[in-house]
Amino acid sequence: MNTPFAIPDNPDSACQPPSAKDFLVDRTFRALARIGVVLVLALVFALVYEVGRKALPGIEKHGFDVLFGSVWDVNQGKYGILPAIWGTLYSALIALLIAGFFGVSMAIFLTQDFLPAKLAAVFRTIVELLAAIPSVVYGLWGIYVVIPAIRPLTAWLNSELGWIPFFGTSLSGPGLLPAALVLAIMILPTIAAVSQDALTSVPMKTKQAAYGMGTTHWEAILKVMVPSAATGIFGSLVLGLGRALGETMALAMLVGNANTISLSLFAPANTLAALLALNFPEAGPNEVEVLMYAALVLMFITLLVNVLGSMIMLYAQRGNKQ
């Protein structure tokens, strides 16, 4: 009689204690895992130490004036990174809002039986390929496609709704909005991929139970599947925000590189990563100290965002278990 599972050659082997070889393999794997963790931590501490060591003279010389200053003038020895901090957080937040909406929507569309499985796999591969495009290509695409495409809309918004701070200036060229749009496309694959994994990890019985309670397809998705995968979806947003904060070349080409603080989406701005990339090649010793100071601030912001995200995820997991 055919059996639904294969019978091992030695049925008693599963009941036998681990052999010396099994213990050796297990101990080797554990040792390699520990070494890997130690090496990663050592690399992080070495990176922070090296950046902090080179930033220390700038910190001692300028103190907190760099953090709250808005003027970057090498000739006068004035260095302020507050506009770059503002631009980094503002552009990343706008990109996260856009990419978060479309990324989660895309994950729902590709995992909740809206498409045949083979066609969904094709779309999933296409989305993942977006992550393989170099940042500089995104920057060029933003200059020659995105900015000309959105300029008529931005001109209308400025003329008709210019009294709103978000539309208070015109888009003359590079600015915050085109940079945020391109940045949203760059972090979209990360958010979509991790959100898909979170949704597919929800047991099918959960969805079937929702149908058994009389829910519609959309009610089962929005009221059962998405809340069940909320922790994983939030994790995707944290990962996307982390990448958005550190993106360099595309923003350096599109954001405008102006040390101004403005709520307007069409005004030029600056980011910490763009500031570092554009000033390091010709920086003198005094400027390098301040740039390393800025790099340390960027690392701290990224670390803070990831720590807060991890804490929120742990809190949500504990709430779900209770």
Side-chain angles (χ1 to χ4, degrees), residues 148-239:
I150 66 174
R151 185 174 285 130
L153 177 61
T154 60
W156 181 84
L157 290 172
N158 177 245
S159 62
E160 300 295 330
L161 302 175
W163 52 273
I164 301 177
F166 296 108
F167 312 129
T169 61
S170 60
L171 183 68
S172 58
L176 191 65
L177 181 60
L181 289 174
V182 172
L183 188 58
I185 297 174
M186 296 179 69
I187 66 176
L188 178 64
T190 300
I191 295 176
V194 179
S195 297
Q196 289 176 57
D197 292 338
L199 287 169
T200 54
S201 65
V202 178
M204 183 57 64
K205 293 181 179 180
T206 302
K207 190 175 182 179
Q208 294 172 347
Y211 286 142
M213 295 295 291
T215 63
T216 64
H217 190 194
W218 276 109
E219 286 176 339
I221 292 172
L222 298 179
K223 295 183 179 181
V224 177
M225 298 298 292
V226 172
S228 299
T231 303
I233 293 174
F234 182 80
S236 73
L237 298 177
V238 173
L239 290 174

Side-chain angles (χ1 to χ4, degrees), residues 6-322:
I7 299 176
D9 296 334
N10 184 8
D12 296 331
S13 60
C15 302
Q16 295 177 358
S19 63
K21 180 180 179 181
D22 295 331
F23 278 114
L24 178 62
V25 171
D26 181 71
R27 290 172 180 173
T28 303
F29 177 78
R30 288 173 181 269
L32 292 176
R34 291 192 180 99
I35 292 173
V37 172
V38 171
L39 289 177
V40 170
L41 292 176
L43 178 62
V44 172
F45 281 114
L47 182 62
V48 174
Y49 171 78
E50 189 65 22
V51 174
R53 183 177 65 84
K54 294 184 178 180
L56 186 59
I59 297 174
E60 294 176 346
K61 187 181 300 182
H62 301 281
F64 292 106
D65 294 340
V66 173
L67 299 178
F68 300 104
S70 58
V71 177
W72 187 278
D73 191 333
V74 179
N75 296 325
Q76 297 183 12
K78 295 182 178 180
Y79 305 101
I81 62 173
L82 183 60
I85 295 175
W86 167 261
T88 300
L89 297 176
Y90 198 16
S91 61
L93 180 60
I94 296 171
L96 182 66
L97 292 175
I98 299 172
F101 173 77
F102 286 102
V104 175
S105 301
M106 191 176 301
I108 293 173
F109 183 72
L110 294 177
T111 59
Q112 301 305 309
D113 304 325
F114 288 100
L115 291 174
K118 292 183 179 179
L119 187 58
V122 173
F123 277 96
R124 192 176 299 114
T125 302
I126 294 174
V127 174
E128 292 174 355
L129 285 176
L130 292 174
I133 299 176
S135 177
V136 66
V137 175
Y138 276 112
L140 292 172
W141 179 73
I143 291 174
Y144 291 107
V145 177
V146 175
I147 293 177
I150 66 174
R151 185 174 285 130
L153 177 61
T154 60
W156 181 84
L157 290 172
N158 177 245
S159 62
E160 300 295 330
L161 302 175
W163 52 273
I164 301 177
F166 296 108
F167 312 129
T169 61
S170 60
L171 183 68
S172 58
L176 191 65
L177 181 60
L181 289 174
V182 172
L183 188 58
I185 297 174
M186 296 179 69
I187 66 176
L188 178 64
T190 300
I191 295 176
V194 179
S195 297
Q196 289 176 57
D197 292 338
L199 287 169
T200 54
S201 65
V202 178
M204 183 57 64
K205 293 181 179 180
T206 302
K207 190 175 182 179
Q208 294 172 347
Y211 286 142
M213 295 295 291
T215 63
T216 64
H217 190 194
W218 276 109
E219 286 176 339
I221 292 172
L222 298 179
K223 295 183 179 181
V224 177
M225 298 298 292
V226 172
S228 299
T231 303
I233 293 174
F234 182 80
S236 73
L237 298 177
V238 173
L239 290 174
L241 180 59
R243 183 185 175 185
L245 290 172
E247 184 52 48
T248 305
M249 281 309 301
L251 287 183
M253 299 170 68
L254 292 170
V255 78
N257 306 308
N259 283 335
T260 58
I261 299 177
S262 174
L263 282 174
S264 176
L265 297 174
F266 311 145
N270 204 355
T271 67
L272 288 170
L275 178 72
L276 295 171
L278 295 176
N279 287 276
F280 247 117
E282 300 178 356
N286 294 330
E287 190 177 5
V288 167
E289 297 172 355
V290 183
L291 289 173
M292 297 303 287
Y293 190 175
L296 195 63
V297 172
L298 179 58
M299 293 174 61
F300 174 77
I301 292 174
T302 306
L303 177 63
L304 181 63
V305 167
N306 283 277
V307 169
L308 290 177
S310 299
M311 292 175 62
I312 295 174
M313 290 173 62
L314 288 174
Y315 179 79
Q317 289 176 347
R318 291 176 182 175
N320 292 335
K321 291 180 180 179
Q322 294 176 356

